[in-house]
Amino acid sequence: EAQVTQNPRYLITVTGKKLTVTCSQNMNHEYMSWYRQDPGLGLRQIYYSMNVEVTDKGDVPEGYKVSRKEKRNFPLILESPSPNQTSLYFCASNPSVEGTDTQYFGPGTRLTVL
Amino acid sequence: GDSVTQMEGPVTLSEEAFLTINCTYTATGYPSLFWYVQYPGEGLQLLLKATKADDKGSNKGFEATYRKETTSFHLEKGSVQVSDSAVYFCALSRSQGGSEKLVFGKGTKLTVNP
């Protein structure tokens, strides 16, 4: 089954404790991205990647890192989480870097930073 | 910059009522337009899309027409069901370093009562 998976689905942590949210897609998609969803703000892009070893900032990259060492995986890293990073996070992938293909979203990771 | 404005919710309807969720956009050029739906506890999934002016996207009884003259892409359904209860996001695509990036509206929560 074609899908985007994220882990963990739920995470409660404390300020300053490094964490990683994993994202994996099995569709051989080139383009992957991370979004955060906050009430009243919709989805905002954090980082994106157009292929292996190619990543760039989205609209709200502060406090986040990403890496793309393999085509299928695109982890989101919070080196020192803060309470304002409490949010619902979505990973998404797109078949190509051109055109208007549909983005496929993971099920989301709900993060709470105390 | 490019942006999407959609009607604020929440919207509450009775089963079999007519649904309209307004969406307008600001963009340079001619972006593709999308409606995504997020069911409770799930990630976003594409509902329908239109890639050029006057195109009509349709799926599951929902429709939206790309209106260049009014820069709108309103979502409609003639008879909603309880199972349509979800959050609906309007989005446009814009170029991002050779790829296409989605810009989302803030979302409209729809609740359909039996």
Side-chain angles (χ1 to χ4, degrees):
Chain A
E1 179 189 354
Q3 60 182 350
V4 178
T5 57
Q6 296 178 225
N7 283 291
R9 293 290 311 278
Y10 302 90
L11 179 60
I12 301 175
T13 189
V14 296
T15 299
K17 185 176 181 182
K18 181 180 178 180
L19 66 91
T20 299
V21 183
T22 64
C23 172
S24 183
Q25 50 93 3
N26 62 0
M27 296 169 279
N28 202 37
H29 288 173
E30 295 181 350
Y31 182 94
M32 298 183 74
S33 60
W34 276 102
Y35 295 86
R36 60 177 290 173
Q37 182 181 9
D38 301 290
L41 297 177
L43 277 81
R44 294 176 292 168
Q45 191 185 56
I46 303 170
Y47 267 93
Y48 68 98
S49 169
M50 292 174 63
N51 213 324
V52 175
E53 302 293 1
V54 181
T55 64
D56 208 345
K57 297 177 181 178
D59 297 318
V60 288
E62 294 77 20
Y64 304 95
K65 286 175 55 177
V66 292
S67 69
R68 188 92 181 272
K69 294 183 170 57
E70 307 164 281
K71 199 171 187 178
R72 63 183 292 126
N73 296 324
F74 190 46
L76 179 69
I77 304 156
L78 284 73
E79 295 270 4
S80 183
S82 62
N84 64 11
Q85 293 178 298
T86 292
S87 187
L88 180 58
Y89 292 86
F90 289 100
C91 181
S93 72
N94 200 20
S96 73
V97 297
E98 297 177 355
T100 57
D101 293 295
T102 303
Q103 288 206 16
Y104 295 80
F105 285 82
T109 295
R110 185 167 293 281
L111 172 66
T112 302
V113 183
L114 301 175
Chain B
D2 297 346
S3 66
V4 174
T5 303
Q6 59 183 105
M7 64 185 288
E8 292 190 19
V11 174
T12 302
L13 296 173
S14 297
E15 208 164 22
E16 299 184 3
F18 184 85
L19 169 71
T20 299
I21 300 178
N22 291 336
C23 171
T24 58
Y25 67 91
T26 302
T28 54
Y30 302 101
S32 293
L33 301 174
F34 305 82
W35 277 100
Y36 278 81
V37 59
Q38 183 181 31
Y39 297 104
E42 298 183 11
L44 280 73
Q45 52 186 278
L46 178 69
L47 180 59
L48 53 85
K49 70 178 183 182
T51 58
K52 61 183 187 296
D54 299 325
D55 267 3
K56 178 186 283 187
S58 61
N59 186 25
K60 299 182 180 180
F62 291 89
E63 293 183 342
T65 301
Y66 190 141
R67 302 286 188 199
K68 187 177 68 173
E69 63 275 12
T70 55
T71 61
S72 65
F73 194 54
H74 305 320
L75 182 68
E76 296 182 336
K77 186 173 184 181
S79 177
V80 294
Q81 305 300 313
V82 173
S83 58
D84 294 327
S85 297
V87 181
Y88 293 82
F89 291 92
C90 186
L92 63 81
S93 65
R94 66 173 173 87
S95 295
Q96 179 182 59
S99 179
E100 299 282 337
K101 169 193 165 177
L102 289 175
V103 176
F104 288 91
K106 294 181 179 180
T108 303
K109 183 176 182 180
L110 169 67
T111 300
V112 180
N113 295 318

